[in-house]
Amino acid sequence: MNHLTDLQCSMYVDEALEHADVEAITRHLESCSDCQTRINEFAEEKRLIRVALTVEDSVVVPGVMPEFKKPLGLREFAIANVVTGLLVWLAQFVWKALFGELVITAFSWFSVPVPDVYGLVVDTALLYFQEGTTMIDTYLGFIAIVLFITTLTWLAFFHRRSRITLSVGLLIVCCGSLLTPSPATALELKRSKTTVSISENETIDDTLIIAAETVVVDGNVNGDLVAFGRRIVVNGSVKGNLLTFGESVTVRGQIGGSSIGGAQTIELRNAVVTGDFWGAGESVSIGPEVRIGRNATVGTERAIIDGDIGRDLVAFAETIDVSGSIDEDVEAFSKRVNLLGAANIRGNLRFRSGDEEKLHRSSTAIVGGEIEFLTMPTKYKAENRYLTGGFYLRQLFRLVSAFVFGIALLWLVPTLRGVTIEGGTGGLKTAGIGLVALISLPTIMVLLAITLIGLPISVLGIFAWIGIIYAAKIVLASLIGQLLLAESTYADNLYITLLAGLLTVIVAVNIPAIGGVISFLLTIVGIGLIIQSILEYTLNLDINRG
Amino acid sequence: MTVNVAFKILYKEYYVRVFGLCRRLLNSAPLAEDATQETFMRAYRNFDRYDSSQPFWQWIASIANNHCVDVLRRRSRVTRLFGEEQQETELLESKDKHITTLIADVEDSDALTSAIDQLPDKYRVPIVLAYFNDRTYEQIAEDLSISRNHVGVLLLRAKQQLRTSLADEGMREFRP
């Protein structure tokens, strides 16, 4: 064998050669002192490099070890945003509640009698429509700015390259939301404190929304028309749907879609409604020359039906006067029905009253089908709820919503996944804490609510309390799921354990007779678990700080 | 004990070593501070993937290695940070083949330390990985995505450069 190359020496010393090469070299070294010397030199060199590398440790480390910054993950970012959102909301609430309406209305409440409901609704709606857009704009703008700043801060302090794409994306979204104009492209908004009128030769191609004291539409609207006001008069034609809310609504025009109205008095005169008509108010009247293409549904004290209805009439009213023609059935939930001279019902009349005296029928009134009197059952028969499909559907809905909520909750607050419950007195303690919290929290909140300043906090507190009650069983279900599947391969799977736990809980709380008690116990234990883990978390923080 | 508490203890325990490793790989204290933070952040994020039967040092050191090599790659203007194997091997043959001054002749270990610091990235990184971090050739080859033989060549080239620069240093010292 030739003398060793430098590379062979180096790799031999580093023990990085193949087994066969090592053997060959070892054999060569036994007979070659030159190479042996070189190997020794390489070994010494390696030793010195090692020493040189380890020598300086204490020297180069900066004097103060920086505090470990936990990475701000998506989860923390989400929490930060939720908290910011809540704070913004609270700030606005306090501002508006304390310095705006609350102080003034608090005094006026006691002296002013309960105002007329429609008036109140109209006033509120008018206020929101006059101020609402700017209010919402400011609010959205504010949130966008907060998001923008949070993102910037995040970028500045916490960004690490792997998240830079996400950050930039968020930034762009925030900037975008700041810069985009309000969605008013296919929408025309008209607001006024007095009167908004669309004159006869005017045509609006978009959906039109009007809020004003008095709304008069003589022209044509090719989209939908939504009108809020004290007095609303629609004389022109509306190609889409008509939505009206006011004190008095009068419709004389042609409505291409359906008409939905809520007002003290709703009056249809010479109007044609191609679709359905829905009307709610103190009095609803469908005049003689009115034609409704499909069903009419009215809820009122006094319904006057003089026009034509293409299909059914469903009326909830004190009194119903019918003198028009109804092409199909009439369903009357009413104290009194008057079929006047010109009335013509082609289908059946079902009158939900046992008292035949309450139906006044003129001799010329026609009822093509049968007249049925249906007594309202004095008491709904106790049904077996387990036999109805709705019950299972409800439980499924409950399961799905609890599951979604639970996943979100356990993702945001992973501490809750680690809750444990002790047997014996420990478990009792948890339940005790839960019971105390269940009772004391609302009490404190009610006490807080009595003082004006405490009101926003108490509202928040009540929300938190409701949230905790809802979350309690979910957290407990997650624990139950973990216990159930502890031995299986799914023990660490958040989704499967939560689902298993939720299924168990939902079955348990629906057990006849004792389900309610179980539900109550589960709730207080769950609340106890949440409170305990919150306490533990705060204690941990203190320990870490100390 | 929560993950948080456990991790804080590990952080205190290993900060100095991780910092040392990063400083040697990057050859800059400020860069090393950032890299150390990043290393611990990555470790924290992936803490659930840490196999506790393995030494923690090995795990976190490999995170630091990867991150520092990434930093160097990003900083480097050449596409191949560690050069072509062929070219390096040729350099090996041609230059400084029989430098008489061995590293062992230099008594001053500070001189050696500063000579290591002055090595170009492509030689310093393998040296640090092999002799400070005790990585095998296979591991280094994987860390740097080069061949195993390339690792050996780079290490030898590094040693040659150290010898040369120490020899120059020695000459300078002896000159008045």
Side-chain angles (χ1 to χ4, degrees), chain A residues 20-231:
Chain A
D21 293 339
V22 174
E23 270 182 18
I25 290 173
T26 317
R27 246 179 284 123
H28 172 75
L29 287 177
E30 280 164 11
S31 59
C32 178
S33 60
D34 276 3
C35 287
Q36 182 61 56
T37 317
R38 284 174 59 218
I39 287 287
N40 291 344
E41 283 167 5
F42 268 97
E44 176 63 6
E45 210 170 59
K46 177 178 168 182
R47 191 187 66 78
L48 284 169
I49 295 175
R50 274 184 190 281
V51 171
L53 282 170
T54 40
V55 136
E56 47 168 351
D57 256 350
S58 53
V59 186
V60 290
V61 172
V64 188
M65 194 192 323
E67 189 66 25
F68 175 60
K69 289 189 218 88
K70 257 201 291 179
L72 193 70
L74 198 60
R75 189 165 63 79
E76 285 81 1
F77 189 60
I79 292 176
N81 276 326
V82 170
V83 171
T84 319
L86 276 177
L87 284 178
V88 168
W89 178 75
L90 180 69
Q92 290 199 332
F93 184 87
V94 171
W95 176 256
K96 278 178 62 192
L98 275 185
F99 302 99
E101 291 112 63
L102 205 81
V103 178
I104 301 160
T105 43
F107 291 102
S108 55
W109 261 354
F110 298 102
S111 52
V112 176
V114 180
D116 154 45
V117 180
Y118 288 100
L120 194 70
V121 170
V122 168
D123 282 345
T124 320
L126 280 176
L127 174 78
Y128 271 93
F129 267 86
Q130 270 144 22
E131 309 294 337
T133 332
T134 37
M135 257 158 60
I136 290 168
D137 278 355
T138 328
Y139 185 72
L140 286 180
F142 191 59
I143 288 182
I145 289 167
V146 170
L147 266 174
F148 181 72
I149 291 168
T150 320
T151 314
L152 269 186
T153 320
W154 193 35
L155 264 176
F157 290 103
F158 301 107
H159 94 83
R160 285 293 178 257
R161 278 163 199 90
S162 57
R163 296 205 185 271
I164 200 157
T165 340
L166 181 68
S167 311
V168 169
L170 274 170
L171 200 70
I172 291 168
V173 170
C174 291
C175 294
S177 66
L178 267 179
L179 296 175
T180 33
S182 339
T185 40
L187 202 75
E188 207 165 318
L189 259 171
K190 285 182 192 286
R191 288 196 298 260
S192 164
K193 280 194 176 146
T194 53
T195 307
V196 168
S197 58
I198 308 290
S199 63
E200 213 170 320
N201 38 25
E202 216 174 321
T203 302
I204 310 278
D205 283 322
D206 301 324
T207 288
L208 176 64
I209 299 181
I210 307 175
E213 182 86 15
T214 307
V215 178
V216 181
V217 179
D218 292 329
N220 302 320
V221 178
N222 285 337
D224 295 334
L225 171 63
V226 182
F228 297 87
R230 212 170 283 285
R231 202 169 74 83

Side-chain angles (χ1 to χ4, degrees), chain A residues 286-310:
Chain A
I286 298 176
E289 280 87 35
V290 175
R291 165 82 195 164
I292 289 164
R294 290 192 298 215
N295 303 309
T297 308
V298 294
T300 175
E301 269 174 46
R302 188 177 176 82
I304 301 166
I305 316 290
D306 294 339
D308 286 359
I309 292 164

Side-chain angles (χ1 to χ4, degrees), chain A residues 490-544:
Chain A
Y490 302 115
D492 289 331
N493 189 315
L494 164 68
Y495 304 97
I496 293 176
T497 49
L498 182 63
L499 197 63
L502 282 174
L503 275 172
T504 319
V505 167
I506 286 185
V507 169
V509 299
N510 281 304
I511 296 174
I514 55 167
V517 180
I518 293 177
S519 171
F520 176 73
L521 286 177
L522 291 179
T523 307
I524 60 169
V525 173
I527 294 177
L529 283 175
I530 294 176
I531 303 268
Q532 271 182 325
S533 74
I534 292 173
L535 288 177
E536 221 165 276
Y537 184 70
T538 24
L539 284 180
N540 261 344
L541 278 187
D542 288 344
I543 290 168
N544 286 350

Side-chain angles (χ1 to χ4, degrees), chain A residues 6-8 10-11 13-18 41-42 44-46 48-58 60-62 64-73 76 158-163 537 540 544, chain B residues 2 4-5 7-8 11-12 15-16 19-20 23-24 33-34 37-38 40-41 44-45 67 74 92 97 102-104 109 112-113 116-117 127-128 130-132 134 137 148-149 152-153 155-156 159-160 162-163:
Chain A
D6 277 359
L7 189 58
Q8 278 174 317
S10 178
M11 286 175 83
V13 167
D14 288 341
E15 293 162 17
L17 287 171
E18 300 290 321
E41 283 167 5
F42 268 97
E44 176 63 6
E45 210 170 59
K46 177 178 168 182
L48 284 169
I49 295 175
R50 274 184 190 281
V51 171
L53 282 170
T54 40
V55 136
E56 47 168 351
D57 256 350
S58 53
V60 290
V61 172
V64 188
M65 194 192 323
E67 189 66 25
F68 175 60
K69 289 189 218 88
K70 257 201 291 179
L72 193 70
E76 285 81 1
F158 301 107
H159 94 83
R160 285 293 178 257
R161 278 163 199 90
S162 57
R163 296 205 185 271
Y537 184 70
N540 261 344
N544 286 350
Chain B
T2 62
N4 268 332
V5 177
F7 198 81
K8 283 208 167 127
Y11 176 76
K12 279 186 188 154
Y15 180 84
V16 172
F19 177 82
R23 204 207 64 81
R24 285 176 184 90
E33 253 179 78
D34 286 352
Q37 282 299 329
E38 177 63 26
F40 277 102
M41 277 206 193
Y44 182 87
R45 258 186 234 128
H67 175 62
R74 227 172 284 132
L92 203 62
K97 204 180 170 187
L102 292 175
I103 293 174
S109 80
L112 182 55
T113 308
I116 294 174
D117 284 351
I127 283 276
V128 173
Y131 302 130
F132 179 72
D134 290 323
Y137 277 36
R148 190 175 174 286
N149 202 52
V153 173
L155 281 170
L156 180 57
K159 289 173 192 171
Q160 286 180 345
L162 287 177
R163 285 178 211 162

Side-chain angles (χ1 to χ4, degrees), chain A residues 240-458:
Chain A
N241 301 308
L242 171 67
L243 268 92
T244 47
F245 298 95
E247 268 185 65
S248 88
V249 174
T250 312
V251 181
R252 291 199 188 86
Q254 298 212 346
I255 315 297
S258 297
S259 168
I260 299 173
Q264 202 159 7
T265 55
I266 301 179
E267 213 183 341
L268 266 63
R269 274 193 228 160
N270 299 322
V272 176
V273 178
T274 315
D276 294 317
F277 169 75
W278 300 73
E282 268 178 44
S283 90
V284 176
S285 93
I286 298 176
E289 280 87 35
V290 175
R291 165 82 195 164
I292 289 164
R294 290 192 298 215
N295 303 309
T297 308
V298 294
T300 175
E301 269 174 46
R302 188 177 176 82
I304 301 166
I305 316 290
D306 294 339
D308 286 359
I309 292 164
R311 289 185 194 166
D312 296 340
L313 167 70
V314 181
F316 304 83
E318 288 262 323
T319 321
I320 307 172
D321 294 345
V322 182
S323 62
S325 83
I326 291 123
D327 290 356
E328 288 176 20
D329 301 344
V330 174
E331 190 94 30
F333 299 80
S334 166
K335 281 194 183 149
R336 193 166 179 83
V337 174
N338 298 319
L339 295 183
L340 305 174
N344 181 1
I345 300 170
R346 300 216 164 83
N348 304 320
L349 167 66
R350 260 192 302 280
F351 186 19
R352 306 264 169 184
S353 167
D355 191 353
E356 295 188 18
E357 297 285 301
K358 300 284 183 196
L359 175 68
H360 165 82
R361 190 178 168 188
S362 152
S363 54
T364 51
I366 304 164
V367 178
E370 291 168 4
I371 300 179
E372 261 182 280
F373 291 92
L374 295 170
T375 39
M376 288 280 231
T378 42
K379 205 174 143 196
Y380 287 100
K381 272 186 221 146
E383 269 185 85
N384 184 347
R385 60 183 180 136
Y386 300 104
L387 291 181
T388 57
F391 169 75
Y392 294 98
L393 204 66
R394 256 200 317 282
Q395 299 308 320
L396 184 70
F397 177 72
R398 233 170 127 181
L399 177 68
V400 171
S401 52
F403 183 68
V404 171
F405 181 82
I407 292 293
L409 181 74
L410 295 175
W411 178 67
L412 284 171
V413 194
T415 327
L416 292 178
R417 286 174 71 181
V419 293
T420 47
I421 190 163
E422 294 161 38
T425 48
L428 273 180
K429 196 177 106 190
T430 307
I433 292 175
L435 186 62
V436 169
L438 185 72
I439 296 165
S440 61
L441 259 168
T443 317
I444 295 170
M445 292 312 148
V446 167
L447 285 177
L448 264 177
I450 293 173
T451 62
L452 251 173
I453 297 165
L455 195 60
I457 302 169
S458 113

